[in-house]
Structures are given as C-alpha cells and as structure tokens.
Amino acid sequence: MDYIYRTDLGNATDMTTSGHHLDDLRDRIHGEVLLPGDPAYDASRSVWNAMVDRRPRLIVRCAVVDDVVAAVRTARELGLEIGVRCGGHSVVGLAVPEDGLMIDLTPMRAVRVDPVARIARVQGGALLGVLDAAAQEHGLATTAGNVSHTGVGGLTLGGGMGWLARQHGLTCDNVLSFELVTADGSRVRASADENAELFWGLRGGGGNFGVVTDFALQLHPLTGPMLSVEVDVSIDDAEHALRDWRDLSFDAPREGTFAASIANGVAMVGFVWTGAPERGRALIPSLRSIARRPLAERITTPSYIRLQSREDTVEGHAIRRYWKGHYFRALTDDVIAGLVTGTSDPYAPAVSLQAYGGAIASVPDDATAFSHRDVAFELVAAAGWTDAAEDAERIEGARRFAAPLEPFASGAYVNVLSDEGQHGVRRAYSPAKLARLTALKDGYDPDNAFHLNHNIRPTAQSKGQ
C-alpha cells in the first residue's frame, strides 16, 4: 500500500468537464465546496499524519445532513472515490482521497446533552473533547479515547477504548442509535429496534456502511478528580517490572485501567483510576513494590477533562507517523521479553500497553461486530518523527518490532490497523463476524463506494481473494 505515503501525486484533476455538477452541488448545500487553490483547501486536507499529502478533486464541508446526502450522490455520479473526515486520525489518512471527493464533517460538531435521560446526541464531526466537555457540565461521561482531538465517529465505529471502558464498556457498547447516509444517498436510522443488523455492524465494523451523521450515546455519572499513578524504571529493570505489573493488573477493580509504556530507554508501569481516588490509592504500595530501582514517580489527581487531554499532540499535524498493534489474550513472559528486546532497535517505536477486561469482556461476543473481547492487553507501537528522509527507516523499524510478536497475538484492534490491508481486516474480525459483516456490506454498499477504510469487501469483490 505504498500509495498511502506518496507526496508527489501532482495537482488534482481539472473540474471543468464536470462544471455543471459543481455548480449544482454548490447550489444545493448549506456548507461549502473547496477546490485546489481555494484558501481553505490545504488546511482541510491536512490530517494527523504529515506523511499524508493527497489532493482531493473537491472537498465538501458539510453543515447539515442534506449536505452529506448531496456529497455522496455527487461522488457516485462522477465516479469519485469517497473519503470521510472527522478527526483525521487514521494513521494512513483514509479520509483524504487522491483526486476524489472528501466529505468533511468537521462543521457538524455539535453535542447536545439530556442530563435527565443521561444521553448525548453527537454530530458526526464532533471531537472527543467537545463530547467530554458537554457531558462533564452535568457530571456525566461515556467511554472515549485518550486523545481529545480524536473524532467521535471513527473511534466509535471501530469500537472505542478509553479509561472508562473497564467500568462502562467500549464506546460502541454505549451507543443507543446511529443516523447515517448510505451509499445510495438514503438517510437511515439504526438501533436495537430499527435496522438491528445494521446496528450490530456499526458497533465495531468501521465506516463500511455509510456516513454516520448522528450518534446517541449513553452517559454515566462521573465527578471528582481521577487518579493517575506512574512509576519509571530503567530498561534493564523493565522485564521484571512488567511481569509484576501484569500480575498486579489481574485483580484490579473495574475502576482501574493498568497501563505501561517503553520509550527512549525508560519503561513506565502504572494505572489510571476513575473511581473514588482513595480506593485507588490502596493500589499504590503494590505498584511501588514492583519497581526495585525506580527512576521517578508521578501521582496526580487530574480532572476527567484534563485526563482526557493530557496525551494530546501539541505539534498538531506536523508529525509523520506510523504504527502497529496487537491484541494479547496473555502477556506471557516471552512476549514481555520480546517487546523489551525489540525496543533496543535504534528505530524502534514507542510502545504502550493497556489492560482490557472488566465491562469489555462482560458484553457477549456476538452482541456487536467488535471482536476480541477476551483479550487481556492491547499493544500499540507508534513511531513519530519530522524528517521525511527517515520515512523508510521509521516504518521498517516499527514493522521489525511488531513482526516477531504477531505469532503470540490473538488479533488486532481495527482502529490501530495501518497498511495491513485484508490481512489486517482478518486479524480484526473472527471469520464468523467477517461473514456477517460481508452480508451487511452486500445489502448496504454492494459497489463498495465506502472502501477507503479497513475495508469489508462485498461478496462480488471478495471472490478469489
């Protein structure tokens, strides 16, 4: 999939042959249409990974749902690839189609909270920080990722891991309904009682079935400070510390999410506690005991809003990025040894581990398209750099780190897939779920109009693959 990283693709195709489509589109929408050369064009096509430098033929910045309908129909009429942008956090930049039509949902970013029913109505272009802020005004929250400028849409459609997942399930487990525009431009609602099979598929099946313009999310009471505990150890002590950290995590209450990382020759072991802080503090002595020679210790009590934004990228879209991910049912001693050894590579990525279990595992496996509810830990190996001359070495370093660990893995999180193609899709879903998702694709998008994603291919395109 080398096309993902090309930056020399030249100018977008001239729109003059389709001028009537362009004029008609501009007349019909409440938002705006951007072409190459327009003042806001380059900012709109910029995404979280600076390696992505593709040029859509046009960008439709949608202000209302009817704009999305018009954009989808125009793309189909012109035979253009469709990319859908919310937060722009796909590491391979799937939102930005070269010479295609990019549906930019970012103007549709409103969040409305019903504090009595504890429900948030979230537009398709909203970011997690907007959702968190609106819900916290009422002492409420729902599971959301760990970076506030992530899009609610992409996170939710892939599953949605966050600090509240062990308490309240994944983001997709908290969805009450979706409203979306399908490949033929129809507006469809999906819930447990309406288009239930589509509702099943949207909870983990990614953006394969349409453009989601509205999510209804269940909220939960959450007030007071959180608790974050981190202890640093040297890389020489990392294996010992990670083994004990793993064992300590097994008995953690659902309010605690154990996390660890290795970067720049230092390993961190710790946890985030989202319940009453005094209960979480009871775990601190045990965590301290596993660090024989601690380098540093950080104990903080951030607000939930601060917790959710502490990993935000201050560099914006200036960083070049690549990552790999694995799920592990068991973080064995061999896996720990492998990941510690792998970080000695001069081009090794930064490594993070996060514990699953709790409410994630309590949801029946067949309840949603999201797979691998039985995993114990998720591994993400993420490289970030600024010099384009290092692209090949950084990408190869991440691949070199991840490859020896794949035989121990049970699969991968669809939201952490990068350029694995259909191999990655098969890692993200069980064969039974992939067959069920394919049947949904056949019904809602048989031509695979929405294929710029971790693609569930319709049957007609899957034969012979």
Side-chain angles (χ1 to χ4, degrees), residues 231-238 241 265-269 290-296:
V231 178
D232 293 342
V233 300
S234 73
I235 198 67
D236 293 335
D237 292 333
V266 175
M268 182 280 290
V269 290
I290 71 177
R292 294 179 294 188
R293 293 172 291 182
L295 301 177

Side-chain angles (χ1 to χ4, degrees), residues 154-197:
L155 177 87
T156 305
L157 292 171
M161 179 59 180
W163 298 122
L164 298 180
R166 284 175 43 82
Q167 271 183 282
H168 300 300
L170 301 166
T171 314
C172 71
D173 298 329
N174 288 278
V175 178
L176 302 174
S177 68
F178 301 88
E179 293 181 8
L180 66 155
V181 176
T182 58
D184 63 358
S186 299
R187 298 175 64 165
V188 175
R189 185 177 187 274
S191 68
D193 301 318
E194 188 175 1
N195 297 305
E197 186 68 3

Side-chain angles (χ1 to χ4, degrees), residues 254-265:
R254 291 188 174 193
E255 297 95 327
T257 300
F258 273 60
S261 64
I262 302 176
N264 302 317

Side-chain angles (χ1 to χ4, degrees), residues 102-116:
M102 186 172 86
I103 296 174
D104 184 357
L105 296 177
T106 55
M108 300 173 59
R109 55 182 178 269
V111 175
R112 305 187 309 278
V113 173
D114 181 340
V116 177

Side-chain angles (χ1 to χ4, degrees), residues 370-381:
F370 179 85
S371 298
H372 306 298
R373 290 187 180 273
D374 59 346
V375 301
F377 296 94
E378 179 192 353
L379 167 74
V380 179

Side-chain angles (χ1 to χ4, degrees), residues 133-156:
Q136 278 289 279
E137 286 184 11
H138 306 281
L140 301 170
T142 196
T143 302
N146 303 346
V147 175
S148 73
H149 46 79
T150 303
V152 173
L155 177 87
T156 305

Side-chain angles (χ1 to χ4, degrees), residues 189-212:
R189 185 177 187 274
S191 68
D193 301 318
E194 188 175 1
N195 297 305
E197 186 68 3
L198 179 60
F199 183 61
W200 174 87
L202 289 168
R203 290 177 294 157
N208 278 280
F209 310 111
V211 183
V212 178

Side-chain angles (χ1 to χ4, degrees), residues 30 47 89 92-93 152 211 215 272 287 354 359 364 378 390 407 422:
H30 295 77
V47 291
H89 271 237
V92 288
V152 173
V211 183
F215 301 81
V272 167
L287 184 69
Q354 193 163 1
E378 179 192 353
E390 296 181 7
Q422 289 300 294

